[in-house]
Amino acid sequence: MKRQMAMLGALAVVLAAGAKPSFFLPERIFAAPGLELNVYYKNVFDSVVPQNFAYEATCRKGCAELARWCFTPEAADAGNSYELVLSAWNDDGLVASVTSMVVVAAAAADPAKRVTLALLGDSLTNCGFQDQALRMMRGHGYSGYTPVGSRTTGSNGIALHDGYGGFTFGAFLTRYRFSEEEVANIQDTAEREQLKALGMPVKIIHKYQRDLLRSPLVRFEKGEKRVDVRAWLDKVNGGVAPDIVVIELGVNSVFKYAGDVAAIRERIRRDLIPEAKGFIDRLRQDMPDATYFLCTQPGGTNQDGFGASYGARASEQHFRKVIFSLNREYDAFVKELNDPRVILMPLAHAVDPYEAFVQRKLAPSAHSRNNVVRQTNALHLSELGGLQMGDTMAAALMVHFGQAK
């Protein structure tokens, strides 16, 4: 009996140690003069109860606040790097810490040089972060910075891109659907039946749904779907490959992953990372000299947002496990590739986990006479979120251009 109790006690210690929360912040994060850099503690510390810890940020620069460390570099900071150390504490002492280098962009040798960028993404592009990145690049003198793509976001979008709600790595290489009206308008019976065999025709209710029917990289020819990156390049950039490809994908693939952290990470390595690598490899067949940036994905907001979006079918605490697992595996994937033309673009740390997500005033219960601000969307960023994410993307690009001398 004593031996069994001792074994159970040892097991409890091991389980407790395995559950110890930790930080994930890439070894390098990027900043640029005049742009605010934020590191929100909730976004980089993987506890499911991050509010239960005290945080400390130590750096020669910036300001350590209650919820974040922030830093707006000045012109004199250009080209410099600063060590940032984050620590989490409870009443028992230090729980975890992480060190990252904050790299501030140096001036590019030729900011007027035309540099084209393609963004392949999902519904996060709806917040317009690509538009803010364009504004910041042009505002910092990068007059040659030129986004290319098939569409802009909404009527006020200014940056061309290829971001589509619900898309995954696989969707970009396979999706080609038909609308009900397209099928109905085909006179030839055999051709109509052939299209139906490719999948149930989609009923179009809203205009934006048309853009989601087909990947810009897939063409339908002689009754078959085929990937045709060259045709896309002809459309968006005169047949020329872009200099930079930013890939902002992943959440739609992993959102429903279940299990503990170990199981989630194993599945990401088994299923998703090969898809990501295959996607990059396929793009490289037609764009071998491009530089590819793989973005870390922002985490969701609080449980109010998850409740508003998914009822009781998804939770903040589980999604935190999923998103930290995804970003850690992206980091490991890029490191393992050890390819100077495949770079991690850290974005997840930089968006306010509350104000940067869609929210509005609501009554907290049926009989309440007061309205409170509550999160109303689990995953999608507000206009503020788009501005923060766009600043962070622009800073990463400026660091890249400043190094390319």
Coordinates of all heavy atoms in Angstrom, one line a residue, residues 244-311:
I244 N 7.9 38.2 -52.9 CA 7.5 37.7 -51.6 C 6.2 37.1 -51.6 O 5.3 37.6 -52.3 CB 7.6 38.9 -50.6 CG1 9.0 39.4 -50.4 CG2 7.0 38.4 -49.2 CD1 9.1 40.7 -49.6
V245 N 6.0 36.0 -50.9 CA 4.7 35.3 -50.8 C 4.5 35.2 -49.3 O 5.3 34.6 -48.5 CB 4.7 33.9 -51.4 CG1 3.3 33.3 -51.2 CG2 5.0 34.0 -52.9
V246 N 3.4 35.9 -48.8 CA 3.0 35.8 -47.4 C 1.9 34.8 -47.3 O 0.9 34.9 -48.0 CB 2.6 37.1 -46.8 CG1 2.1 37.0 -45.4 CG2 3.8 38.1 -46.8
I247 N 2.1 33.7 -46.4 CA 1.1 32.7 -46.3 C 0.5 32.8 -44.9 O 1.1 32.7 -43.9 CB 1.7 31.3 -46.4 CG1 2.3 31.2 -47.8 CG2 0.7 30.2 -46.2 CD1 3.2 29.9 -48.0
E248 N -0.8 33.2 -44.9 CA -1.6 33.4 -43.6 C -2.7 32.3 -43.6 O -3.8 32.6 -44.0 CB -2.1 34.8 -43.5 CG -2.8 35.2 -42.2 CD -4.3 34.8 -42.4 OE1 -5.0 35.3 -43.3 OE2 -4.7 33.9 -41.5
L249 N -2.4 31.1 -43.1 CA -3.3 30.0 -43.1 C -3.1 29.1 -41.9 O -2.0 29.2 -41.3 CB -3.1 29.2 -44.4 CG -3.5 29.8 -45.8 CD1 -3.0 29.0 -46.9 CD2 -5.0 30.0 -45.9
G250 N -4.1 28.3 -41.6 CA -3.9 27.3 -40.6 C -5.0 27.1 -39.7 O -5.4 25.9 -39.3
V251 N -5.7 28.1 -39.3 CA -6.8 28.0 -38.3 C -7.9 27.2 -38.8 O -8.5 26.4 -38.0 CB -7.3 29.4 -37.8 CG1 -8.5 29.3 -37.0 CG2 -6.2 30.1 -37.0
N252 N -8.3 27.3 -40.1 CA -9.4 26.5 -40.6 C -9.1 25.0 -40.6 O -10.0 24.2 -40.6 CB -9.8 27.0 -42.0 CG -10.4 28.4 -42.0 OD1 -11.3 28.6 -41.3 ND2 -9.9 29.3 -42.8
S253 N -7.8 24.7 -40.7 CA -7.4 23.3 -40.7 C -7.4 22.7 -39.3 O -7.8 21.5 -39.1 CB -6.0 23.1 -41.2 OG -5.9 23.6 -42.6
V254 N -7.1 23.5 -38.2 CA -6.8 22.9 -36.9 C -7.9 23.2 -35.9 O -7.9 22.7 -34.8 CB -5.5 23.4 -36.3 CG1 -4.3 23.0 -37.2 CG2 -5.5 24.9 -36.0
F255 N -8.9 24.0 -36.3 CA -9.9 24.5 -35.3 C -10.6 23.4 -34.6 O -10.8 23.5 -33.4 CB -10.9 25.4 -36.0 CG -11.9 26.0 -35.0 CD1 -11.6 27.1 -34.3 CD2 -13.2 25.5 -34.9 CE1 -12.5 27.6 -33.4 CE2 -14.1 26.0 -34.0 CZ -13.7 27.1 -33.2
K256 N -10.9 22.3 -35.2 CA -11.6 21.2 -34.6 C -10.7 20.1 -34.1 O -11.2 19.1 -33.6 CB -12.6 20.6 -35.6 CG -13.8 21.6 -36.0 CD -14.8 20.9 -36.9 CE -15.9 21.9 -37.2 NZ -16.9 21.3 -38.1
Y257 N -9.4 20.3 -34.1 CA -8.6 19.3 -33.5 C -8.9 19.1 -32.0 O -9.0 20.1 -31.2 CB -7.1 19.7 -33.6 CG -6.5 19.5 -35.0 CD1 -7.3 19.2 -36.1 CD2 -5.1 19.6 -35.2 CE1 -6.7 19.0 -37.4 CE2 -4.6 19.4 -36.4 CZ -5.4 19.1 -37.5 OH -4.8 19.0 -38.8
A258 N -9.0 17.9 -31.6 CA -9.4 17.5 -30.2 C -8.2 16.9 -29.5 O -7.2 16.5 -30.1 CB -10.6 16.6 -30.2
G259 N -8.4 16.7 -28.2 CA -7.3 16.0 -27.4 C -6.5 17.0 -26.6 O -6.7 18.2 -26.5
D260 N -5.5 16.4 -25.9 CA -4.6 17.2 -25.1 C -3.5 17.8 -26.0 O -3.5 17.6 -27.2 CB -4.0 16.4 -24.0 CG -3.1 15.2 -24.5 OD1 -2.8 15.2 -25.7 OD2 -2.8 14.4 -23.6
V261 N -2.6 18.6 -25.4 CA -1.6 19.3 -26.2 C -0.8 18.4 -27.0 O -0.5 18.6 -28.2 CB -0.8 20.3 -25.3 CG1 0.4 20.8 -26.1 CG2 -1.7 21.4 -24.8
A262 N -0.3 17.3 -26.4 CA 0.5 16.3 -27.1 C -0.2 15.8 -28.3 O 0.5 15.6 -29.4 CB 0.9 15.2 -26.1
A263 N -1.4 15.4 -28.2 CA -2.2 14.8 -29.3 C -2.4 15.9 -30.4 O -2.3 15.5 -31.6 CB -3.5 14.3 -28.8
I264 N -2.7 17.1 -30.0 CA -2.9 18.1 -31.0 C -1.6 18.4 -31.8 O -1.6 18.5 -33.0 CB -3.4 19.4 -30.3 CG1 -4.8 19.2 -29.8 CG2 -3.4 20.6 -31.3 CD1 -5.2 20.3 -28.8
R265 N -0.5 18.5 -31.1 CA 0.8 18.8 -31.8 C 1.2 17.6 -32.7 O 1.7 17.8 -33.8 CB 1.9 19.1 -30.8 CG 1.6 20.4 -30.1 CD 2.8 20.9 -29.3 NE 4.0 21.2 -30.1 CZ 5.1 21.7 -29.6 NH1 5.3 22.0 -28.4 NH2 6.1 21.9 -30.5
E266 N 0.9 16.4 -32.2 CA 1.3 15.2 -33.1 C 0.4 15.3 -34.3 O 0.9 15.0 -35.4 CB 1.0 14.0 -32.3 CG 1.6 12.7 -32.9 CD 0.7 12.1 -34.0 OE1 -0.5 12.3 -34.0 OE2 1.3 11.6 -35.0
R267 N -0.8 15.6 -34.2 CA -1.7 15.6 -35.4 C -1.3 16.8 -36.4 O -1.3 16.6 -37.6 CB -3.2 15.8 -35.0 CG -4.1 15.7 -36.2 CD -5.6 15.7 -35.8 NE -6.4 15.7 -37.0 CZ -7.7 15.8 -37.0 NH1 -8.4 16.0 -35.8 NH2 -8.4 15.8 -38.1
I268 N -0.9 17.9 -35.8 CA -0.4 19.0 -36.7 C 0.8 18.5 -37.4 O 1.0 18.8 -38.6 CB -0.1 20.2 -35.8 CG1 -1.4 20.8 -35.3 CG2 0.7 21.3 -36.6 CD1 -1.2 22.0 -34.3
R269 N 1.8 17.9 -36.7 CA 3.0 17.4 -37.4 C 2.6 16.3 -38.5 O 3.2 16.3 -39.5 CB 4.0 16.8 -36.4 CG 4.6 17.8 -35.5 CD 5.7 17.2 -34.7 NE 5.3 16.2 -33.8 CZ 4.9 16.4 -32.5 NH1 4.9 17.7 -32.0 NH2 4.6 15.5 -31.7
R270 N 1.7 15.5 -38.2 CA 1.3 14.4 -39.1 C 0.5 14.9 -40.3 O 0.7 14.4 -41.4 CB 0.5 13.3 -38.3 CG 0.2 12.1 -39.1 CD -0.7 11.2 -38.4 NE -2.1 11.7 -38.2 CZ -2.7 11.9 -37.1 NH1 -2.1 11.5 -35.9 NH2 -4.0 12.3 -37.1
D271 N -0.5 15.7 -40.0 CA -1.4 16.1 -41.1 C -1.2 17.5 -41.7 O -1.2 17.6 -42.9 CB -2.8 16.1 -40.5 CG -3.3 14.7 -40.1 OD1 -2.6 13.7 -40.5 OD2 -4.2 14.6 -39.3
L272 N -1.0 18.5 -40.9 CA -1.0 19.9 -41.4 C 0.4 20.3 -41.9 O 0.5 20.9 -43.0 CB -1.4 20.9 -40.3 CG -1.5 22.3 -40.8 CD1 -2.5 22.5 -41.8 CD2 -1.7 23.3 -39.6
I273 N 1.5 20.0 -41.2 CA 2.8 20.4 -41.7 C 3.1 19.8 -43.0 O 3.7 20.6 -43.9 CB 3.9 20.1 -40.6 CG1 3.6 20.9 -39.3 CG2 5.3 20.3 -41.2 CD1 3.6 22.4 -39.5
P274 N 2.8 18.6 -43.3 CA 3.1 18.1 -44.7 C 2.2 18.9 -45.7 O 2.7 19.1 -46.9 CB 2.6 16.6 -44.6 CG 2.8 16.2 -43.2 CD 2.5 17.4 -42.4
E275 N 1.0 19.3 -45.4 CA 0.2 20.1 -46.3 C 0.9 21.4 -46.5 O 0.9 21.9 -47.7 CB -1.2 20.3 -45.7 CG -2.1 19.2 -45.8 CD -3.6 19.5 -45.5 OE1 -3.9 20.7 -45.5 OE2 -4.3 18.6 -45.2
A276 N 1.4 22.0 -45.5 CA 2.1 23.3 -45.6 C 3.3 23.2 -46.5 O 3.6 24.0 -47.4 CB 2.4 23.9 -44.2
K277 N 4.1 22.2 -46.2 CA 5.3 22.0 -47.0 C 5.0 21.7 -48.5 O 5.6 22.2 -49.4 CB 6.1 20.8 -46.5 CG 7.5 20.6 -47.2 CD 8.3 19.6 -46.5 CE 9.7 19.5 -47.2 NZ 9.7 19.4 -48.7
G278 N 3.9 20.8 -48.7 CA 3.5 20.5 -50.0 C 3.0 21.8 -50.8 O 3.3 21.9 -52.0
F279 N 2.3 22.7 -50.0 CA 1.9 23.9 -50.6 C 3.0 24.8 -51.1 O 3.0 25.3 -52.2 CB 1.0 24.6 -49.6 CG 0.3 25.9 -50.1 CD1 -0.5 25.9 -51.2 CD2 0.6 27.1 -49.4 CE1 -1.1 27.0 -51.6 CE2 0.0 28.3 -49.9 CZ -0.9 28.2 -51.0
I280 N 4.0 25.0 -50.2 CA 5.2 25.8 -50.5 C 5.9 25.1 -51.7 O 6.4 25.8 -52.6 CB 6.0 26.0 -49.3 CG1 5.3 26.8 -48.3 CG2 7.4 26.6 -49.7 CD1 6.0 26.9 -46.9
D281 N 6.1 23.8 -51.6 CA 6.8 23.1 -52.7 C 6.1 23.3 -54.0 O 6.8 23.5 -55.1 CB 6.9 21.6 -52.4 CG 7.9 21.3 -51.3 OD1 8.7 22.2 -50.9 OD2 7.9 20.2 -50.7
R282 N 4.8 23.3 -54.0 CA 4.1 23.4 -55.3 C 4.2 24.9 -55.8 O 4.4 25.1 -57.0 CB 2.6 23.1 -55.1 CG 1.8 23.3 -56.4 CD 2.3 22.4 -57.5 NE 1.7 22.7 -58.8 CZ 2.1 23.7 -59.7 NH1 3.1 24.4 -59.4 NH2 1.4 23.9 -60.8
L283 N 4.1 25.8 -54.9 CA 4.3 27.2 -55.4 C 5.7 27.4 -55.9 O 5.9 28.2 -56.9 CB 4.0 28.2 -54.2 CG 2.6 28.2 -53.7 CD1 2.5 29.2 -52.5 CD2 1.6 28.7 -54.7
R284 N 6.7 26.8 -55.3 CA 8.0 27.0 -55.8 C 8.3 26.4 -57.2 O 9.3 26.8 -57.8 CB 9.0 26.3 -54.8 CG 9.2 27.2 -53.6 CD 10.2 26.6 -52.6 NE 11.1 27.6 -52.0 CZ 11.9 27.4 -51.0 NH1 12.1 26.1 -50.6 NH2 12.7 28.3 -50.6
Q285 N 7.5 25.5 -57.6 CA 7.7 25.0 -59.0 C 7.6 26.2 -60.0 O 8.3 26.2 -61.0 CB 6.6 24.0 -59.3 CG 6.8 22.7 -58.5 CD 5.7 21.6 -58.9 OE1 5.2 21.7 -60.0 NE2 5.4 20.7 -58.0
D286 N 6.7 27.1 -59.7 CA 6.5 28.3 -60.6 C 7.1 29.6 -60.1 O 7.3 30.5 -60.8 CB 5.1 28.5 -60.9 CG 4.4 27.3 -61.6 OD1 4.7 27.2 -62.8 OD2 3.7 26.5 -61.0
M287 N 7.5 29.6 -58.8 CA 8.0 30.8 -58.1 C 9.3 30.4 -57.3 O 9.3 30.5 -56.1 CB 7.0 31.5 -57.3 CG 5.7 31.9 -58.0 SD 4.5 32.8 -57.0 CE 3.9 31.5 -56.0
P288 N 10.3 29.9 -57.9 CA 11.5 29.3 -57.2 C 12.3 30.3 -56.5 O 13.0 30.0 -55.5 CB 12.3 28.6 -58.3 CG 11.9 29.3 -59.5 CD 10.5 29.7 -59.4
D289 N 12.2 31.6 -56.9 CA 13.1 32.6 -56.3 C 12.4 33.5 -55.3 O 13.0 34.4 -54.7 CB 13.7 33.5 -57.4 CG 14.6 32.7 -58.4 OD1 15.3 31.7 -57.9 OD2 14.6 32.9 -59.6
A290 N 11.1 33.2 -55.0 CA 10.4 34.1 -54.1 C 10.9 33.7 -52.7 O 11.4 32.7 -52.4 CB 8.9 33.8 -54.2
T291 N 10.7 34.7 -51.8 CA 10.8 34.5 -50.3 C 9.5 34.3 -49.7 O 8.5 35.0 -50.0 CB 11.5 35.7 -49.7 OG1 12.8 35.8 -50.2 CG2 11.6 35.5 -48.2
Y292 N 9.3 33.2 -48.9 CA 8.0 32.8 -48.4 C 8.0 33.1 -46.9 O 8.9 32.7 -46.1 CB 7.8 31.3 -48.6 CG 7.6 31.0 -50.1 CD1 8.8 30.8 -50.9 CD2 6.4 30.9 -50.7 CE1 8.6 30.5 -52.2 CE2 6.2 30.6 -52.0 CZ 7.4 30.4 -52.8 OH 7.3 30.2 -54.1
F293 N 7.0 33.8 -46.4 CA 6.8 34.1 -45.0 C 5.6 33.3 -44.6 O 4.5 33.4 -45.1 CB 6.5 35.6 -44.8 CG 7.7 36.4 -44.8 CD1 8.1 37.0 -46.0 CD2 8.5 36.7 -43.7 CE1 9.3 37.8 -46.1 CE2 9.6 37.5 -43.8 CZ 10.0 38.1 -45.0
L294 N 5.8 32.5 -43.5 CA 4.7 31.8 -42.9 C 4.3 32.5 -41.6 O 5.1 32.6 -40.7 CB 5.1 30.3 -42.6 CG 4.1 29.4 -42.0 CD1 2.9 29.2 -42.9 CD2 4.7 28.0 -41.7
C295 N 3.0 32.9 -41.5 CA 2.6 33.7 -40.3 C 2.1 32.9 -39.2 O 1.4 31.9 -39.3 CB 1.4 34.6 -40.8 SG 1.8 35.7 -42.1
T296 N 2.6 33.3 -37.9 CA 1.9 32.8 -36.8 C 0.5 33.3 -36.7 O 0.2 34.5 -37.1 CB 2.7 33.1 -35.5 OG1 2.7 34.5 -35.3 CG2 4.1 32.5 -35.5
Q297 N -0.4 32.5 -36.2 CA -1.8 32.9 -36.2 C -2.3 33.5 -34.9 O -2.0 32.9 -33.8 CB -2.7 31.6 -36.5 CG -2.4 31.1 -37.9 CD -2.8 32.0 -39.0 OE1 -4.0 32.1 -39.3 NE2 -1.9 32.6 -39.6
P298 N -3.0 34.6 -34.9 CA -3.5 35.2 -33.7 C -4.5 34.2 -32.9 O -5.2 33.5 -33.6 CB -4.3 36.4 -34.1 CG -3.7 36.8 -35.5 CD -3.3 35.4 -36.1
G299 N -4.4 34.3 -31.6 CA -5.3 33.5 -30.8 C -6.7 34.2 -30.8 O -6.9 35.3 -31.2
G300 N -7.7 33.5 -30.3 CA -9.0 34.1 -30.2 C -9.2 35.0 -29.0 O -8.2 35.2 -28.3
T301 N -10.3 35.5 -28.8 CA -10.6 36.4 -27.7 C -11.2 35.5 -26.5 O -10.9 34.3 -26.4 CB -11.6 37.5 -28.1 OG1 -11.8 38.4 -27.1 CG2 -12.9 36.9 -28.5
N302 N -12.0 36.1 -25.6 CA -12.4 35.4 -24.5 C -13.7 34.5 -24.7 O -14.2 34.5 -25.9 CB -12.7 36.4 -23.3 CG -13.8 37.3 -23.6 OD1 -14.7 37.1 -24.4 ND2 -13.9 38.4 -22.8
Q303 N -14.2 33.9 -23.7 CA -15.3 32.9 -23.9 C -16.5 33.6 -24.3 O -17.4 32.9 -25.0 CB -15.5 32.2 -22.5 CG -16.6 31.1 -22.7 CD -16.2 30.0 -23.7 OE1 -15.0 29.6 -23.8 NE2 -17.2 29.6 -24.5
D304 N -16.8 34.9 -24.0 CA -17.9 35.5 -24.6 C -17.9 35.5 -26.1 O -19.0 35.2 -26.7 CB -18.0 37.0 -24.2 CG -18.5 37.2 -22.7 OD1 -19.1 36.3 -22.2 OD2 -18.2 38.3 -22.2
G305 N -16.8 35.7 -26.7 CA -16.7 35.6 -28.2 C -16.9 34.2 -28.7 O -17.6 34.0 -29.7
F306 N -16.4 33.2 -28.0 CA -16.6 31.8 -28.4 C -18.1 31.5 -28.3 O -18.6 30.8 -29.1 CB -15.7 30.9 -27.7 CG -14.3 30.8 -28.2 CD1 -13.4 31.8 -27.9 CD2 -14.0 29.9 -29.1 CE1 -12.1 31.7 -28.4 CE2 -12.7 29.8 -29.7 CZ -11.7 30.8 -29.3
G307 N -18.7 31.9 -27.2 CA -20.1 31.6 -27.0 C -21.0 32.3 -28.1 O -21.9 31.7 -28.6
A308 N -20.6 33.5 -28.4 CA -21.4 34.2 -29.5 C -21.2 33.5 -30.8 O -22.2 33.5 -31.6 CB -20.9 35.7 -29.6
S309 N -20.0 33.0 -31.1 CA -19.8 32.4 -32.4 C -20.2 31.0 -32.5 O -20.7 30.5 -33.6 CB -18.3 32.5 -32.8 OG -17.9 33.8 -32.9
Y310 N -20.0 30.2 -31.4 CA -20.2 28.8 -31.5 C -21.1 28.2 -30.4 O -21.2 27.0 -30.3 CB -18.8 28.1 -31.4 CG -17.9 28.6 -32.4 CD1 -16.8 29.4 -32.1 CD2 -18.0 28.2 -33.8 CE1 -15.9 29.9 -33.0 CE2 -17.1 28.7 -34.7 CZ -16.1 29.5 -34.4 OH -15.2 30.0 -35.3
G311 N -21.8 29.0 -29.7 CA -22.7 28.5 -28.6 C -21.8 27.8 -27.6 O -21.0 28.3 -27.0

